[in-house]
């Protein structure tokens, strides 16, 4: 996964097959977004649930999210995910619940 902030405050999360962006790069990019101290909206498409990562990378992400949870809740205003395939769209609901819990946004 990688982030594309060129349309800030609309930030695209891109998960292309074979994308080997290091997790440290993604976390640094997220940190840079939070350092702007401006609200933003995450947008993604395709299958965001198809991301395999090593246990070590999973731990890095979990620790980063824990350390930045308050800033994420304050600055991320929402996450729009477009999935044209019905089956994958239904499967993405679990991913949506996880991001809602992590980022603090979702349905009222």
């Amino acid at each position: 996964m990688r982030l594309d902030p060129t349309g800030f405050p609309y930030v695209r999360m891109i998960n292309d097959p074979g994308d080997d962006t290091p997790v440290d790069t993604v976390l640094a990019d997220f940190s840079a977004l939070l350092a702007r101290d401006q609200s933003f909206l995450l947008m993604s498409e395709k299958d965001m649930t198809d991301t395999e990562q090593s246990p070590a990378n999973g731990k890095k992400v979990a620790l980063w999210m824990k350390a930045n949870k308050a800033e994420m809740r304050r600055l991320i205003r929402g996450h729009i995910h477009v999935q044209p395939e019905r089956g994958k769209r239904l499967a993405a609901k679990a991913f949506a619940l996880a991001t809602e819990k992590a980022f603090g946004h979702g349905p009222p």
Side-chain angles (χ1 to χ4, degrees), residues 20-91:
D20 60 351
T21 304
V23 70
D24 292 328
T25 300
V26 177
L27 296 178
D29 290 346
F30 258 117
S31 292
L33 285 170
L34 296 178
R36 292 175 93 154
D37 199 30
Q38 296 175 310
S39 297
F40 60 96
L41 175 72
L42 293 172
M43 300 183 311
S44 59
E45 56 186 273
K46 301 181 184 174
D47 192 357
M48 296 301 293
T49 62
D50 188 24
T51 56
E52 291 184 34
Q53 56 182 311
S54 69
N57 283 346
K59 186 173 182 174
K60 280 183 189 180
V61 170
L63 290 172
W64 183 92
M65 290 179 74
K66 184 176 180 180
N68 292 281
K69 189 171 191 169
E71 285 300 287
M72 290 170 37
R73 286 178 174 258
R74 186 173 72 84
L75 297 174
I76 299 174
R77 294 294 176 208
H79 182 171
I80 297 171
H81 180 77
V82 178
Q83 174 49 261
E85 295 180 42
R86 188 179 195 289
K88 288 184 177 181
R89 190 170 51 245
L90 295 173

